[in-house]
Amino acid sequence: MQTCPMCTRWLDEPDLRIAELKRCHVMLNRDQFFPGYTLVFTRNHVTELFHLDREARNEIVEEVTMVAAALAGLLKPAKMNYELLGNMVPHMHWHLVPRFETDPLWPRPIWSEPHEPAILNPELYAERIEAIRNKLDFGQNDFRRF
């Protein structure tokens, strides 16, 4: 297998790390055209939910849900989009995209037309990441904050 972009992303973009959970990594997407756009991807290289045993699958879905709830609590979107595709990057990963009725592509899919990436300055990334971390309810989950 060639190098997987999701497997290396955690190492390549440490400034976007939100949390390392028991089963998943959580990172803010560099392009913030959709404010709060976050990636949740499995720590281990896996391509399909059905490749996982029930316990791992349930824990991953709980982690994705926890991150989505934190984003929703922080940003108050009209809808949270969950994208789990894997056609272009064969590593299980969710695109969690808070959607607002005021966003330019509402209510269409985020990939319905190209857009210029919204790149933030380092301080804004850090502020957004810290705000998301503060909303996460880690409870008894194993995690590491950055």
Side-chain angles (χ1 to χ4, degrees):
M1 178 180 87
Q2 293 183 339
T3 303
C4 169
M6 293 312 291
C7 289
T8 60
R9 191 168 194 161
W10 188 253
L11 300 173
D12 293 345
E13 299 185 87
D15 59 318
L16 298 178
R17 294 176 185 171
I18 296 171
E20 182 176 285
L21 305 175
K22 179 179 179 183
R23 299 282 184 173
C24 296
H25 291 301
V26 183
M27 296 183 77
L28 195 63
N29 192 46
R30 177 81 54 199
D31 177 5
Q32 286 291 292
F33 183 82
F34 298 98
Y37 186 157
T38 298
L39 298 163
V40 180
F41 54 99
T42 55
R43 291 174 57 177
N44 295 324
H45 187 91
V46 63
T47 58
E48 306 294 343
L49 280 169
F50 59 79
H51 291 161
L52 300 165
D53 63 44
R54 184 181 305 267
E55 178 182 358
R57 188 170 50 248
N58 289 342
E59 288 174 348
I60 289 168
V61 170
E62 285 299 316
E63 290 178 1
V64 170
T65 302
M66 177 179 69
V67 175
L71 291 169
L74 177 66
L75 300 169
K76 311 287 190 247
K79 176 71 176 95
M80 179 66 63
N81 285 179
Y82 300 77
E83 301 281 345
L84 173 60
L85 301 173
N87 300 332
M88 294 180 68
V89 178
H91 184 138
M92 192 170 5
H93 64 286
W94 282 259
H95 298 253
L96 298 182
V97 186
R99 298 297 304 274
F100 303 88
E101 292 178 1
T102 56
D103 85 41
L105 298 181
W106 179 265
R108 296 172 293 152
I110 64 171
W111 294 293
S112 63
E113 65 183 73
H115 66 267
E116 286 297 317
I119 305 301
L120 308 179
N121 68 47
E123 294 79 22
L124 285 174
Y125 283 116
E127 287 173 16
R128 193 161 289 174
I129 288 166
E130 190 59 26
I132 295 167
R133 284 179 184 153
N134 289 336
K135 277 292 191 184
L136 285 169
D137 178 15
F138 292 106
Q140 299 300 313
N141 292 323
D142 294 331
F143 77 97
R144 191 168 71 195
R145 290 175 59 138
F146 293 89

